[in-house]
Amino acid sequence: DSEYFNGKYRVKTVRAHWIDYNNGDFFVTICTKNRSHYFGHIDNGEIYLTSIGLYTLEAIQNIQKHNPYCEVLGFVIMPNHIHLILSITDIREMHKNKVAPTQVETQYIASLQFQSQMRIISKQRSLLARTIANFKSAVTRYARAQKIEFGWQSRYHDAFIRNQAMMNQIADYVDNNVVRWATDCYF
């Protein structure tokens, strides 16, 4: 039965089955556990980041370094959540016309081959999901190493960006999120 893995219940995915999470532009929101204000505070329309907020900023800036198939088009760090605008390009598509991939890309392709058995067992984990998991894991490791109380909400929200008008609307929302904090649904 697909609902169980090793006799344990497995929660069904909330991802839309008709969207290719390996290619495209996505608007992602990731909240902290219990929406606790771990990342900082907002005063007079400006965010003041805590040490974990500053590390989160660094981790966002390094997403593409660790996930060569992902480009961060925009982001904002709020006290208890972050918004990311990500562009995912399947690395296999990126190299159709390229002769020799870089070492990082070669390692990634080898990783894809290594994980093929796991994909059969648990369905393919998308590049978007892999990116978010890597990012959340990096921030969590930092918090533990620094002995900072911290936790993420278990899931994240994503929206597939269908066109330029939607991209513009989301970019405006991200750019003005700090200023609109008092009216934010996560306030």
Side-chain angles (χ1 to χ4, degrees):
D1 186 54
S2 66
E3 297 299 312
Y4 294 89
F5 178 73
N6 287 342
K8 295 181 182 178
Y9 182 73
R10 186 164 65 182
V11 178
K12 285 185 178 182
T13 182
V14 296
R15 309 276 85 82
H17 67 290
W18 60 88
I19 294 176
D20 180 3
Y21 290 96
N22 294 308
N23 280 302
D25 297 332
F26 299 90
F27 176 51
V28 177
T29 301
I30 311 171
C31 295
T32 60
K33 186 175 184 179
N34 300 321
R35 295 195 179 152
S36 297
H37 291 209
Y38 292 123
F39 298 132
H41 70 278
I42 294 177
D43 190 20
N44 290 326
E46 192 169 335
I47 181 101
Y48 296 91
L49 298 174
T50 60
S51 63
I52 195 159
L54 290 169
Y55 183 81
T56 300
L57 172 63
E58 183 180 325
I60 291 169
Q61 292 169 336
N62 286 321
I63 284 176
Q64 188 169 8
K65 177 181 175 185
H66 300 292
N67 306 277
Y69 50 81
C70 180
E71 181 181 358
V72 179
L73 303 178
F75 69 92
V76 65
I77 301 172
M78 301 297 287
N80 59 2
H81 67 283
I82 63 166
H83 294 299
L84 301 164
I85 303 173
L86 302 175
S87 183
I88 304 287
T89 304
D90 190 329
I91 201 160
R92 292 165 288 196
E93 293 294 318
M94 291 168 54
H95 291 292
K96 279 187 175 178
N97 299 322
K98 196 173 185 182
V99 176
T102 68
Q103 182 180 0
V104 171
E105 293 162 343
T106 301
Q107 290 171 348
Y108 171 73
I109 291 168
S111 172
L112 285 177
Q113 293 166 348
F114 176 76
Q115 294 174 17
S116 65
Q117 186 62 31
M118 286 305 294
R119 282 193 205 110
I120 292 168
I121 295 169
S122 65
K123 295 186 180 179
Q124 184 176 359
R125 189 173 185 193
S126 73
L127 296 178
L128 179 64
R130 190 173 298 175
T131 301
I132 300 305
N134 290 345
F135 167 75
K136 288 172 73 171
S137 178
V139 175
T140 300
R141 279 192 311 272
Y142 171 82
R144 287 182 183 156
Q146 301 301 312
K147 299 185 182 353
I148 298 171
E149 179 186 341
F150 179 75
W152 291 109
Q153 184 174 300
S154 62
R155 295 189 180 207
Y156 61 92
H157 174 76
D158 66 76
F160 178 70
I161 301 173
R162 293 176 182 84
N163 55 43
Q164 190 61 49
M166 188 175 181
M167 176 68 83
N168 293 345
Q169 181 182 19
I170 290 168
D172 179 64
Y173 176 80
V174 167
D175 289 344
N176 293 297
N177 203 215
V178 172
V179 175
R180 297 179 186 154
W181 175 236
T183 62
D184 194 293
C185 65
Y186 299 107
F187 179 71

